[in-house]
Amino acid sequence: MTDHFIQDKTTKVTVNLEGAEQKMDFNDLKSGGFIKQRQKDLFTVRLRCPGGKLTTEKLIEISKIAHKYSKKGVVHFSFRQSLEILYVDYKEFNAIVAELEKIGQKVASCGPRVRVPTACGGCEYNPNGLTDTQKMAEMVDKTFFGTPTPHKFKTSFSGCPIDCARTKEMDLGFQGVVDPKWEEEACTGCTICAEACKEGAIESDPDTGKPIFDPLKCIWCGDCIRACPTEAWRPKRYGHIVRIGGKHGRHPMEAVEVCSFLPDEKVADAIRLTIEWYNANGKRGERIGNTLKRVGLDNYLKFMEPVFQNNETVKA
Amino acid sequence: MSESGAHATLDLRGVMCPINFVKTKLKLEMMSPGEVLEVILDSGEPIQNVPKSIKEEGHRIIEVKKEGDFFRLKVEKG
């Protein structure tokens, strides 16, 4: 505990890797998810947990490894849903990585690349969920994790307009929506939908009790569909609102909405093309929000037309 | 069966979320499939939330009547 508060400024050390003596630059390690701590020789090992989901089986195994390698016996839940093992000695990197690999647990990354996607619970078990955010996060992690970009590139998936995964603060965020459709024959004029709508988008006809729908006020949450006793409100289509250019940090920026009702099967294309545009237009160290400000949103939207066309683009 | 055509009635006026739903659920669990429970709910949050929870549990709302600032629901146990 003597060196607990000693700040270690070294970035290069000599290390014995696979039998050969090498100079290792601690800054390079960030790309591999090893983050230098204040304390001499000690690092945080960030694990890769897309959507913040782990099987209990794996969690037990991770606990054992963390207990073995963390000099203080502590882990930390990162702000992006990953588990971080704290106080790991860099001399034990090879050993800890090998043990993690054995249980199928990968290490995350930092730096200028596509990061591990975050996600809420989604429609699998959350009653408000409209999209399978966990499945999408897994897909994005598998397909795009680690892809180099001019600066960090964060994605997230929220299953509904409550937006727990904060898509408005992401470089590229996807938020679940549903387009409600009303069928008069099934409606009994009970007025529950008007009561259930928190946005004032549904009013009841004073005579019949039947809904009068204002699409301009609707935020596509599906409360009317879930509340309707007779299935008169039904889902017409599900999709994602796509938001781009958000970030937090020292100078937060709110993402702008560039597409609504993007279907699941177009999400990968949207990400692929966005990364392509970002790599072609972004300066080193510039978040995509600032690239958009400098180059112009129109330029981006034109590039994205093959993916976004036929889906409504709103409030661009 | 009462005059309202329900096997039982729960007056949940003044009962907050989610206690109103829990009470509804417990009552329904004591009933047989096909039996009808009448539930009286306040407008606002209770009527926004309780009907969808009832549906999610697999029951059917067969009648809804608005009476002033409360709602009278008939729920058929699923």
Side-chain angles (χ1 to χ4, degrees), chain A residues 65 68-69 91-101:
Chain A
I65 295 170
K68 181 171 168 187
Y69 288 98
K91 292 187 260 340
E92 295 184 313
F93 280 172
N94 288 340
I96 190 171
V97 168
E99 282 201 43
L100 287 166
E101 229 158 62

Side-chain angles (χ1 to χ4, degrees), chain B residues 8 12 33 39 54 60:
Chain B
L12 297 171
V39 186
I54 291 173
R60 229 159 58 86

Side-chain angles (χ1 to χ4, degrees), chain A residues 265-283:
Chain A
E265 59 273 17
K266 283 192 178 178
V267 168
D269 287 341
I271 297 173
R272 187 175 299 115
L273 225 54
T274 298
I275 294 171
E276 205 178 296
W277 182 87
Y278 184 28
N279 278 328
N281 292 282
K283 288 182 185 168

Side-chain angles (χ1 to χ4, degrees), chain B residues 18 30 35 39 48 63 77:
Chain B
M30 286 156 56
E35 282 189 333
V39 186
Q48 286 176 357
E63 196 187 295
K77 181 177 166 137

Side-chain angles (χ1 to χ4, degrees), chain B residues 13-76:
Chain B
R13 280 176 286 184
V15 183
M16 311 271 278
C17 298
I19 305 300
N20 42 19
F21 169 64
V22 173
K23 288 193 167 180
T24 307
K25 182 180 155 69
L26 290 175
K27 188 81 192 165
L28 283 163
E29 270 168 21
M30 286 156 56
M31 296 168 67
S32 311
E35 282 189 333
V36 174
L37 172 69
E38 184 182 59
V39 186
I40 305 171
L41 290 167
D42 287 319
S43 55
E45 243 184 79
I47 199 69
Q48 286 176 357
N49 295 313
V50 178
K52 62 182 177 193
S53 302
I54 291 173
K55 270 178 68 186
E56 274 157 18
E57 295 267 319
H59 310 295
R60 229 159 58 86
I61 297 166
I62 52 175
E63 196 187 295
V64 182
K65 269 191 200 148
K66 189 171 182 172
E67 297 179 10
D69 55 359
F70 62 90
F71 284 78
R72 201 179 284 274
L73 268 67
K74 288 215 178 83
V75 183
E76 187 187 283

